[in-house]
Amino acid sequence: MPDKLPIWLDGEIVPYENATTHMLSHTLHYGLGVFEGIRAYQGKDGRTAVFRLQEHVKRLFDSCKIATIKVPYSEAQISDAIRTLLRNNKLADCYIRPLVWLGEGTIKVAASDNVVRVAIAAWPWGAYLGDEALEQGVRVCVSSYTRIGIRANYEKAKICGQYVNSVLAKREAMANGYHEAILLDQQGFVAEGTGENIFLVRDGVIYTPDRGASLLAGITRESLLDLARDAGIEVREQALTRSELYLADEVFLCGTAAEVTPVREIDGRIVGTGRRGPITERIQKDYFAAVRGENARREGWLAYV
Ligand code: PPE
């Protein structure tokens, strides 16, 4: 959980205790709000950089566009706010959570005049699925919940209410002793984890579901596809089935929070040799090098604080 660090709220940095909202905030009732998840890393030279800041801030605004929320700041102002907060809180490796929500006003569905509020929290956050997970891999199940289809879910947006699907799938998986759940889409194809995209490796080729499918086309996913191509590994974006997951040589999850996490078991079936595979290890190594400023070719992904 966040240490009690100051929080950027509606244009100023306030003490942790003051970053509050009224129970009549519209988003609390109806879920129409938007959030992002971003990480910053400290490089060998001691400088801290936010990974793909511009892309995350752009997605925050894209999500708000889909959600018909008018943000009272520009993308540049939000990017500046994130950097300012990290400097103020003297943070190096950390997770950054911007949230845009509808505050007080009317408690009616449309909420046309409710105030739009923006907050940004940041805190040191280790490995999402546990420290061991990055090396040993995690055990996952295919969820009994279905990723909501694109007729009813705005899959390119990180809208708060849409995460009910993820929360229930994650709770079910954990209650059954798994680390994470994989959701299938309405046709039965593999969609994603509750907070991660999914990749598999078979005969040296990397596969991941197409970005047009019912999934958040993550920024980590895009980055890994680029890194795989840089490494000369063939990548294919295509529909994948549950059977293909079971027969994969390697499977891994990726996301800002999850970084690159190997999967060692799916529904009781051992993936490959049951340990982090060589391609997963390579991609993971390249990812951590890029986020820490050790890949000159991908220096453009970093926004120094
Ligand atoms: N799918 C979902 C459903 C998702 O929530 C995320 C991010 C991704 C894919 C990967 O997207 P990207 O971070 O752009 O590579 N999940 C965020 C929230 C996790 C949470 O527990 O909350 C994150 O990783 O920050």
Side-chain angles (χ1 to χ4, degrees):
M1 244 351 260
D3 293 329
K4 298 202 166 178
L5 294 170
I7 287 174
W8 188 96
L9 178 69
D10 299 326
E12 54 177 343
I13 294 176
V14 302
Y16 179 90
E17 292 72 21
N18 297 0
T20 56
T21 193
H22 197 274
M23 69 76 63
L24 289 176
S25 298
H26 191 275
T27 303
L28 275 179
H29 299 246
Y30 304 102
L32 190 79
V34 156
F35 69 99
E36 261 306 317
I38 314 173
R39 272 192 195 262
Y41 294 88
Q42 187 171 36
K44 274 203 190 114
D45 62 3
R47 291 192 299 161
T48 294
V50 182
F51 186 65
R52 309 210 73 169
L53 176 61
Q54 216 187 323
E55 289 83 354
H56 281 284
V57 172
K58 171 87 167 70
R59 188 171 66 190
L60 183 77
F61 279 73
D62 285 351
S63 296
C64 287
K65 182 174 185 179
I66 292 173
T68 67
I69 297 173
K70 201 172 170 316
V71 188
Y73 303 96
S74 65
E75 289 183 36
Q77 282 173 314
I78 297 298
S79 297
D80 284 349
I82 290 170
R83 289 174 144 125
T84 305
L85 183 70
L86 264 52
R87 280 199 298 269
N88 182 79
N89 289 0
K90 301 185 172 47
L91 283 163
D93 285 11
C94 65
Y95 185 77
I96 304 155
R97 169 56 58 88
L99 176 70
V100 181
W101 78 101
L102 304 182
E104 281 181 79
T106 53
I107 289 297
K108 282 186 182 164
V109 170
S112 318
D113 301 321
N114 288 49
V115 59
V116 176
R117 305 194 61 190
V118 183
I120 305 163
W123 63 90
W125 208 20
Y128 184 60
L129 296 165
D131 281 326
E132 286 175 15
L134 293 175
E135 215 184 296
Q136 308 295 324
V138 290
R139 298 175 52 248
V140 308
C141 58
V142 172
S143 185
S144 76
Y145 292 92
T146 301
R147 170 57 74 221
I148 304 170
I150 50 175
R151 284 172 186 262
N153 191 54
Y154 311 101
E155 82 294 345
K156 296 293 176 279
K158 282 182 84 77
I159 294 175
C160 301
Q162 296 191 159
Y163 274 80
V164 169
N165 195 214
S166 285
V167 174
L168 293 179
K170 179 86 178 194
R171 287 183 167 198
E172 179 194 53
M174 289 173 71
N176 291 333
Y178 297 98
H179 296 101
E180 188 53 281
I182 305 304
L183 290 99
L184 306 180
D185 69 16
Q186 300 219 311
Q187 284 73 46
F189 291 105
V190 175
E192 58 183 339
T194 66
E196 311 91 353
N197 289 119
I198 186 163
F199 283 66
L200 65 82
V201 180
R202 179 134 176 121
D203 297 330
V205 178
I206 293 183
Y207 297 84
T208 195
D210 193 87
R211 61 169 284 126
S214 195
L215 49 92
L216 185 78
I219 292 166
T220 315
R221 173 187 175 284
E222 278 320 312
S223 307
L224 300 189
L225 287 172
D226 283 342
L227 291 172
R229 291 186 195 105
D230 289 352
I233 303 168
E234 187 181 341
V235 296
R236 291 190 202 153
E237 295 173 70
Q238 63 178 57
L240 299 171
T241 63
R242 188 172 181 165
S243 323
E244 288 172 303
L245 280 184
Y246 294 158
L247 299 181
D249 301 326
E250 302 178 34
V251 176
F252 56 92
L253 300 171
C254 76
T256 300
E259 298 165 314
V260 180
T261 302
V263 173
R264 68 168 193 263
E265 191 187 309
I266 302 175
D267 294 338
R269 291 148 178 94
I270 301 298
V271 177
T273 59
R275 39 183 5 149
R276 177 175 62 189
I279 292 188
T280 305
E281 191 171 354
R282 170 75 201 263
I283 295 294
Q284 198 183 47
K285 194 171 124 275
D286 289 355
Y287 180 73
F288 284 120
V291 300
R292 295 202 185 277
E294 290 156 25
N295 180 342
R297 182 167 180 187
R298 299 297 179 182
E299 190 67 22
W301 286 349
L302 305 182
Y304 286 96
V305 172

